[in-house]
Amino acid sequence: MLNFGSESREIQDNPPQRGVADEAETRPAETTLVRDQTEPDNGTPEQNKEQAEEQEIGDLPDIELSDADRMMDKVYGDHVHQNPGTHLRGDIPDDEMWQDYWRRLIVFPSQTYDAPKGPVGRRFVEMLADMLLGIKARKLNAEKFIVFQIVVLQRSREVKKAKDVRKRLTWRMDAWQQGKFSMLVQNTERTMESLLSAKQGGLTPEQQAKIFHRKMLRGDVRGAVRYLTDREKGGILQPTDIDEKTGDSVETVLRSKHPDARIPKPESLPQYDHTPDFVEVDITAEAVEKVARRLSGSAGLGGTDSHALKHGLLRFGGASQKLCKALADFTDWLSNGFPPWAGYRALMSGRLCALDKCPGVRPVGVGETWRRATAKILLLVAGAEAKEACGIDQLCAGLEAGIEGGIHAMQALWDLHETEEKWGFLLIDASNAFNEQNRIEMLWAVRHEWPSGARFVFNCYKHWAVLVLRGNDGHAVFIFSKEGVTQGDPLSMFAYGIGILPLIRQLKAEFPQVEQPWYADDAGAGAKFDEIERFFRRLCEVGPQFGYYPEPTKSILIVRQHNLEEARLRFPAFKVKTGNRY
């Protein structure tokens, strides 16, 4: 009889980096210094090195570089900084003021007007384009860009007619250009507080019908149906609610699902024969327009949802063309260089929601729509290389008919061994996989497996992202994403899949007789009982190096009826069944 158990996280040889605390974001600004960085020895363009040397130091003063950090410096010219980067200014003198404005506004649910047709809408879209170009030109940071959208488009109870909306937006854009930022932020805060009571559960049927009607008129059919049917069985939990499964507060549960960073030992990083040169990607306005037509999803912290961004990119003539060009240039900036974190920091933040699993808590992340758009643009241009790298080893990168092929292959395998003794198929479940993945190891693998997307992925994950869990009283909980990939990021599936490719290849080399289909963190193992036992034990040994922690009690061993009794005796840690959804 064998009981499996993966090694405890607390005794792994991946200790959290020293000198780091969640309170890092409250530190005062440090003196701006020049980084003496190691030039990558893998063909990185000289301009990338020069650009990196001009940036502020990303590490806090009490941090000691690890050997893994130095290895990252050699292949990226930089390493992962274990802090949210709020001490960085990006050479913007009033950055601290804009970070404060941003933090004050994002704690409220944003209810915004759509940019109206005509000159008012065109003016707003042109101002957006100018500000996006201003980020790249280092005239402002993304916090100002987000605050502008919130304060200009914020909905008011008293303003409903189209001409009044245009008048209100014109007045607010005038005030912005006159530099009345404090007044706009204060006014927006008051308006948002007055709208806090408008929750779906407390609305009358007539009010719900109006919201449904408004969503339909915007073309958001999916959102309208979801709102009306209220598909989530348990609804949204507040930070102070108690999780029935653990007895802890929702805030505590969500913090536990976002672990501290684990610094790998150099020898645990996968070995590669060489480090490929970075590949330049060509980002065009046409690519932006193509992605814009397929955008979907709700709003992040800034209140701009996919419909609003699509509207701005496609429906305002010359102004939309200017915004498409600006977004293309911005995506190119993130894809082909190493821009300062402070410049785009706010775009890497996300909205965190807690859904009731009845019992349990399911975290759902919603990234900024602008970040989702840039990631999808990069994937349109360079995603094929990631798909090729994963191939049939990892089906989550979009291999054509990969899922269907995997299902049919496993069904054929199941039929082939119908009468065989001591044969089964193990469905493996990993604990909190996307949040537990080792971020440094993931970026290391991406650097060698996906050279055209490596800089963009590194730029997204070189600091902690801020996740905001909003309450219904105007307060919010700030949680840092320190490890793994961030929820709400379209790149997360690709980055995660590439990150565990070395683990998959190692297991396939060691156990060629075990059929191993993988889709992201969902693994399968079809073999004789002896091989399944050896395979799972080995997975428990090497998986934690990659942040992959198998959970025996949630893994399911599927066997034929004549093997059921022996399987239950031999694998008491697994759920043993004669059939399960795959």
Side-chain angles (χ1 to χ4, degrees), residues 143-207:
E143 284 82 3
K144 186 175 183 179
F145 177 68
I146 296 296
V147 169
F148 167 73
Q149 296 168 70
I150 295 175
V151 300
V152 171
L153 296 179
Q154 177 58 44
R155 184 178 294 274
S156 172
R157 289 180 183 273
E158 292 75 28
V159 181
K160 298 180 180 179
K161 294 183 178 180
K163 67 175 183 179
D164 295 332
V165 171
R166 289 193 293 270
K167 182 178 179 181
R168 174 183 170 85
L169 267 56
T170 299
W171 167 73
R172 297 181 82 81
M173 286 187 286
D174 288 343
W176 181 274
Q177 292 184 323
Q178 293 165 13
K180 298 179 180 179
F181 307 125
S182 180
M183 179 274 293
L184 286 169
V185 170
Q186 292 177 33
N187 178 263
T188 303
E189 278 185 300
R190 289 192 294 269
T191 302
M192 287 177 158
E193 288 174 352
S194 71
L195 294 172
L196 276 177
S197 60
K199 304 191 298 289
Q200 179 168 332
L203 297 178
T204 65
E206 291 77 11
Q207 290 172 320

Side-chain angles (χ1 to χ4, degrees), residues 263-287:
I263 309 303
K265 291 182 177 180
E267 58 269 22
S268 69
L269 294 177
Q271 298 297 312
Y272 290 93
D273 294 336
H274 73 285
T275 302
D277 293 349
F278 288 117
V279 176
E280 298 286 320
V281 294
D282 183 22
I283 308 296
T284 64
E286 289 74 19

Side-chain angles (χ1 to χ4, degrees), residues 215-405:
K215 288 179 178 290
M216 290 296 292
L217 289 180
R218 296 180 73 211
D220 186 11
V221 178
R222 182 183 181 189
V225 172
R226 286 190 168 190
Y227 176 82
L228 194 64
T229 56
D230 192 18
R231 282 169 37 176
E232 297 300 335
K233 61 181 179 180
I236 297 177
L237 297 171
Q238 297 300 313
T240 55
D241 289 342
I242 300 300
D243 172 28
E244 295 179 3
K245 185 176 180 180
T246 63
D248 296 324
S249 69
V250 170
E251 176 185 346
T252 301
V253 172
L254 290 184
R255 287 192 184 279
S256 71
K257 291 181 180 291
H258 293 85
D260 288 335
R262 301 182 183 92
I263 309 303
K265 291 182 177 180
E267 58 269 22
S268 69
L269 294 177
Q271 298 297 312
Y272 290 93
D273 294 336
H274 73 285
T275 302
D277 293 349
F278 288 117
V279 176
E280 298 286 320
V281 294
D282 183 22
I283 308 296
T284 64
E286 289 74 19
V288 174
E289 183 177 338
K290 187 173 182 179
V291 167
R293 297 186 185 280
R294 297 183 294 179
L295 281 176
S296 63
S298 58
L301 296 173
T304 299
D305 62 14
S306 58
H307 176 85
L309 181 54
K310 181 190 303 184
H311 192 63
L313 288 168
L314 300 175
R315 300 182 181 177
F316 290 93
S320 290
Q321 293 177 13
K322 181 178 179 180
L323 184 59
C324 284
K325 180 63 166 62
L327 187 54
D329 290 347
F330 183 81
T331 307
D332 180 271
W333 189 52
L334 290 176
S335 303
N336 294 319
F338 295 97
W341 172 258
Y344 59 92
R345 173 181 51 214
L347 300 181
M348 297 296 109
S349 301
R351 178 165 61 90
L352 190 61
C353 300
L355 301 183
D356 191 351
K357 291 170 61 177
C358 301
V361 177
R362 174 179 285 115
V364 175
V366 184
E368 282 290 356
T369 309
W370 295 95
R371 176 189 183 172
R372 304 202 309 262
T374 57
K376 290 181 178 181
I377 293 166
L378 184 278
L379 288 174
L380 176 67
V381 176
E385 186 179 63
K387 180 171 61 177
E388 182 178 351
C390 291
I392 62 172
D393 290 332
Q394 178 56 279
L395 300 178
C396 70
L399 182 68
E400 287 79 3
I403 298 175
E404 294 84 351

